[in-house]
Amino acid sequence: MKKWIDIIAKRIFTVSGFVTSIVIVLIIAFLFAEAVGLFSQPIVEEGYVLALNKQNDVKDLSALEIKDIFDEEITNWKEVGGGDVPIKVFRLEDLDKIYTEAELGDEYQFAGDKIVEQVSGDPGMIAFVPESLVDGRTEINYIDDNTIPVSDVLLGVEWFPTATPSPIFGILPLISGTIWVSFFAILFALPFGLAVSIFLAEVANPRVSKILKPIIELLNGIPSVVYGFFGLAVIVPLLQRTFNLPVGESGLAGSIVLAIMALPTIITVAEDAMRNCPRTMREASLALGASKWQTIYKVVVPYSISGITSGVVLGIGRAIGETMAVLMVTGNAAVIPTSILEPLRTIPATIAAELGEAPAGGAHYQSLFLLGVILFFITLFINSCVEVVSARNRLKR
């Protein structure tokens, strides 16, 4: 009977592990499939075209050039490879300012003719209009509606997914913001976490350790939004006064909040690793004349480095993947930061803030999945580095 129970339990665990692995693979495949779909989306907003005068020989425009034209930062066609002609921007709503309702028709049935009339009469005009109104009209030219290039996304420095007529999905500001905040969070958390773990494992009275350890572990259970409120109410005003900033929401505020959130994980894992250091190694070090502190940093810490590294990685994982707390205190500005005191935006915060408003299946929706893929690769890279470090430490023993 016991043999059969063991066999059944083994089969259940095997099937459970297999199903879990398959589900994880399917989730990753779905993530990648949605992300790759972004690069098959047109540059110009779907259902619309950019119409030009027949005399205009410009055929291709990047998303950034289109944005600058409609923001009137580019004002002459020679700036984008065309002739020396001033640019005149035309939108569908401009028709109502030029023509009467009778001229346009009760149901806008003459709108297409009027658009063609306007574009044909001005060699510098670019019109952003619905494709259905000018479809098949040979009296005007059109900007080639290419798909979104990979380079514009991976190397782009602007994130403006709701821009019209052409959304911009440059992800460098979000990647740099994520790495910037996470780096400083670990820079703040590591020395404090290591110091507290050494105190609990090697210095503190057992009674003190028994009191402090549950309190520290309890901090892991506090919701991240509570940390965000604390940062917004305490840290942000403090930084604003201390550094005389126009706004206190900044990368530094996010780093401090994430450091506080990562501390319990680093302390708990590092302390457990130090307690696993054999007592004989401590006694041998003391017998050779080393002091207690020399034993800690020359014997205990090197022996426990693998566990300490694991704690740091878990802390980094929490810092990189955090959403609400970072969203509340970093200023949510999608720009490449040049200082830790500037507002910024991270990848997880962007996904959390924008996924609800992105139309399913659209370019904005797929760009957020691409951010998820990039976050996956960042985490994978960090975990791989830790595995390499841990493997080297095990070989040295």
Side-chain angles (χ1 to χ4, degrees), residues 181-182 185 253-263 318-320 322 325-326:
V181 168
S182 302
S255 298
I256 293 173
V257 171
L258 288 181
I260 295 171
M261 296 176 67
L263 272 175
R318 176 150 197 191
I320 289 179
E322 186 50 54
V326 177

Side-chain angles (χ1 to χ4, degrees), residues 121-145:
D122 191 332
M125 182 170 287
I126 179 170
F128 173 56
V129 292
E131 184 178 9
S132 58
L133 295 180
V134 295
D135 190 29
R137 305 299 290 260
T138 57
E139 304 97 314
I140 53 179
N141 286 341
Y142 303 94
I143 293 292
D144 292 338
D145 198 3

Side-chain angles (χ1 to χ4, degrees), residues 80-124:
V80 289
D84 188 6
V85 180
I87 296 175
K88 182 178 180 181
V89 174
F90 183 87
R91 294 180 174 85
L92 181 64
E93 54 267 26
D94 294 333
L95 283 176
D96 296 325
K97 303 173 184 177
I98 302 172
Y99 300 100
T100 65
E101 185 177 344
E103 290 175 314
L104 294 174
D106 294 338
E107 298 180 356
Y108 253 52
Q109 62 267 34
F110 305 126
D113 295 330
K114 301 305 180 183
I115 291 171
V116 172
E117 180 181 309
Q118 288 295 315
V119 176
S120 300
D122 191 332

Side-chain angles (χ1 to χ4, degrees), residues 65-87:
E65 287 173 336
I66 294 171
K67 174 181 175 294
D68 288 342
I69 286 174
F70 279 81
D71 288 345
E72 298 184 0
E73 294 181 14
I74 295 178
T75 57
N76 195 295
W77 284 109
K78 68 180 180 180
E79 299 178 55
V80 289
D84 188 6
V85 180
I87 296 175

Side-chain angles (χ1 to χ4, degrees), residues 365-379:
Y365 182 82
Q366 291 171 330
S367 69
L368 297 178
F369 276 90
L370 179 64
L371 292 179
V373 170
I374 292 171
L375 193 63
F376 168 78
F377 277 115
I378 292 175
T379 307

